Amino acid sequence: MNAQPPTVIYADEPRLVALIAAARRRVLYLAPGLTLPIAAAIEGAFGRLCARAVSVILDVDPEICRLGYGTIEGLVAVQKAAKRAEALICHQKGVRIGLLISDDTTLIFSPTPLLVEGGKTEGQPNAIQLTGLPPEVAHDMGLGSDPDSERKIGLDPVVPARIEAVQANLQANPAVKFDLARKVRVFNSRFQFVEFEMTGCFISKKKVPIPSELMGLARDADTQRKLHASFDLIGKTSISAMVGEKTMSEESLRRTKANIIKRFLTNLTGYGSVVLRANKEKLEAAVAELKTEITAFQAAAKAGLQKHIDTNRDAVVAALLPGVRENPPDHFTKLHGAKPPEGVLKKMLADEIAAAFGNADAVIQGMKASLVFKDVAYESLVDPKFLEIARRAMPGVDCLHDEYDAAKETDKDATVSLRQ
């Protein structure tokens, strides 16, 4: 008794090419796209069969090439072959299954997007091969007794201008090499770059810009020491406030930020910090808690902050007033002459310094924490410097290894694991 050939099989490009080459009566190829070898096999079918005996139905869309369901070279080649045979290539939007009919053999297969997978191997079935043509399939594909009225798939003929539009689109926005794209996908599935910043919270380091025409007018020695191009907003005073039973200060916020970085982020020198995706939610929760602390600190510190601002602002005005009195700036004298009244001088100086210092509301509004996630650029994954830094920063973490193994089939030279 002869063994029944398997029905559930592994169908790769060579099998598809062989089935097309074996056809003596008819060929129908339905898939998202095709490659040059398949296009060459179809060209051979056009040569030995009549044009109506060969049907090609594709999703003629540039995204097909970007996903790796086919190549633009294959699409162009099959269109040229069809034109020479005076046949048509047809478009079926969104098709994501594969169907190859060669005489009475029907192969239903799963096209593999190279962006997602590096290709299957024997023992990984992806197709069903039948030794006949189901009548329902024949009907829908226009292979029955009345092809013109029965056919439901691939009713949109592809004109050359459509192929040219796909080519132009891919030239403007080329497909990423699939080995690199898969590396990016796997890297991003485990790690993401993070921009984590806390700004405006270190009040003691804030500087007030002093108008250039007032520089050098201070008579007070301490103020002269502070007055360079700027003046400390509150000096070296540390602002703190009680929030419940917890003391909030710029130093406590600094410690909280440093603790978040220590717990979740890994620095890749020159490239930024990364977080393990498994820890992303914890990182977001920790930063949300930091934002809550900043909000509480803003509200609690406002009154004390304004007091320090007022004190330092008044000190600057008092220190500058004698010099302004002796040598008033031009914009102080343009309406009042060379010797403005004392009250006018003091008010104009106070207003100018007040504008430079601002107020507590403006200062606390600048207090914030931000968290931005970014995916790795695929160019980094072929940058030896990036890979070396990643290996040093994440010793023992083989985060790209599996993906690089998959990519070896398409570009061995670009295949690099974190552990080389």
Side-chain angles (χ1 to χ4, degrees):
M1 182 176 179
N2 294 331
Q4 178 77 19
T7 300
V8 180
I9 62 170
Y10 165 64
D12 57 3
E13 184 180 79
R15 182 182 288 268
L16 299 178
V17 169
L19 279 173
I20 295 170
R24 292 296 177 267
R25 291 185 290 109
R26 64 184 175 190
V27 168
L28 184 143
Y29 180 86
L30 165 73
L34 78 176
T35 59
L36 269 175
I38 294 175
I42 291 172
E43 181 177 12
F46 277 131
R48 66 179 180 274
L49 308 175
C50 68
R52 288 183 59 86
V54 180
S55 296
V56 180
I57 304 169
L58 308 169
D59 184 357
V60 183
D61 187 297
E63 199 63 22
I64 292 301
C65 299
R66 295 193 185 97
L67 290 170
Y69 281 113
T71 65
I72 185 61
E73 294 81 8
L75 180 60
V76 170
V78 80
Q79 172 65 18
K80 289 180 177 178
K83 183 177 180 180
R84 285 192 292 270
E86 298 183 351
L88 290 175
I89 302 300
C90 291
H91 168 71
Q92 179 63 48
K93 181 179 179 180
V95 63
R96 292 297 182 270
I97 64 169
L99 172 65
L100 173 58
I101 299 171
S102 172
D103 294 341
D104 294 322
T105 298
T106 302
L107 182 72
I108 303 167
F109 61 96
S110 172
T112 300
L114 297 180
L115 178 64
V116 178
E117 298 184 48
K120 293 182 176 294
T121 59
E122 198 71 48
Q124 297 179 326
N126 67 336
I128 297 174
Q129 182 166 309
L130 306 175
T131 56
L133 177 59
E136 297 86 354
V137 175
H139 180 276
D140 287 351
M141 301 311 300
L143 299 178
S145 58
D146 189 4
D148 294 334
S149 63
E150 293 175 347
R151 183 166 172 172
K152 295 181 174 63
I153 303 297
L155 302 177
D156 182 8
V158 177
V159 297
R162 191 167 196 163
I163 305 294
E164 293 169 4
V166 172
Q167 285 181 294
N169 186 291
L170 289 169
Q171 287 175 353
N173 185 16
V176 177
K177 291 183 179 180
F178 299 118
D179 59 326
L180 300 180
R182 291 197 300 274
K183 293 171 197 174
V184 173
R185 184 177 61 84
V186 170
F187 187 93
N188 286 342
S189 71
R190 297 195 64 187
F191 291 92
Q192 272 188 298
F193 278 106
V194 176
E195 290 182 1
F196 172 39
E197 295 182 344
M198 185 173 70
T199 56
C201 296
F202 304 124
I203 308 168
S204 63
K205 294 185 177 182
K206 284 186 176 296
K207 302 290 184 180
V208 178
I210 302 300
S212 59
E213 65 272 14
L214 301 179
M215 292 291 294
L217 297 180
R219 296 292 182 263
D220 175 73
D222 184 56
T223 308
Q224 284 180 343
R225 179 178 55 80
K226 295 178 180 178
L227 275 176
H228 297 292
S230 60
F231 188 93
D232 293 334
L233 179 69
I234 64 171
K236 299 304 179 184
T237 305
S238 177
I239 297 292
S240 63
M242 292 298 297
V243 180
E245 298 181 355
K246 188 174 182 180
T247 301
M248 302 293 300
S249 66
E250 51 185 82
E251 183 56 36
S252 72
L253 295 175
R254 190 200 310 270
R255 288 195 301 267
T256 300
K257 179 191 176 187
N259 184 46
I260 291 173
I261 292 173
K262 181 179 179 180
R263 288 164 58 198
F264 299 113
L265 303 185
T266 299
N267 182 49
L268 305 185
T269 305
Y271 294 91
S273 297
V274 294
V275 63
L276 187 68
R277 274 189 185 268
N279 292 330
K280 184 175 179 178
E281 287 189 11
K282 290 182 180 179
L283 171 61
E284 290 174 318
V287 173
E289 186 176 342
L290 173 61
K291 290 180 179 179
T292 300
E293 291 184 4
I294 291 173
T295 300
F297 179 61
Q298 287 174 309
K302 180 178 176 181
L305 174 59
Q306 187 62 56
K307 181 179 178 181
H308 285 291
I309 291 175
D310 292 343
T311 299
N312 279 357
R313 182 195 63 216
D314 292 344
V316 173
V317 171
L320 292 178
L321 184 58
V324 170
R325 187 186 299 119
E326 292 178 15
N327 186 24
D330 290 342
H331 66 286
F332 279 30
T333 63
K334 69 178 182 179
L335 297 179
H336 300 281
K339 295 293 182 181
E342 177 80 9
V344 171
L345 276 178
K346 186 172 182 179
K347 184 178 187 309
M348 294 180 73
L349 177 61
D351 289 347
E352 191 156 342
I353 297 302
F357 268 79
N359 56 42
D361 285 331
V363 173
I364 66 174
Q365 284 176 5
M367 298 179 181
K368 62 181 180 180
S370 62
L371 185 66
V372 178
F373 297 95
K374 294 184 177 181
D375 292 333
V376 65
Y378 79 89
E379 291 89 352
S380 296
L381 295 173
V382 291
D383 180 354
K385 181 180 177 182
F386 173 83
L387 294 170
E388 178 60 29
I389 289 173
R391 283 192 288 268
R392 287 201 307 264
M394 298 183 282
V397 177
D398 201 16
C399 64
L400 303 183
H401 182 71
D402 290 342
E403 187 54 41
Y404 285 130
D405 283 348
K408 286 180 180 177
E409 295 180 16
T410 53
D411 189 351
K412 296 182 186 239
D413 292 337
T415 299
V416 185
S417 165
L418 275 184
R419 294 193 305 186
Q420 272 197 325

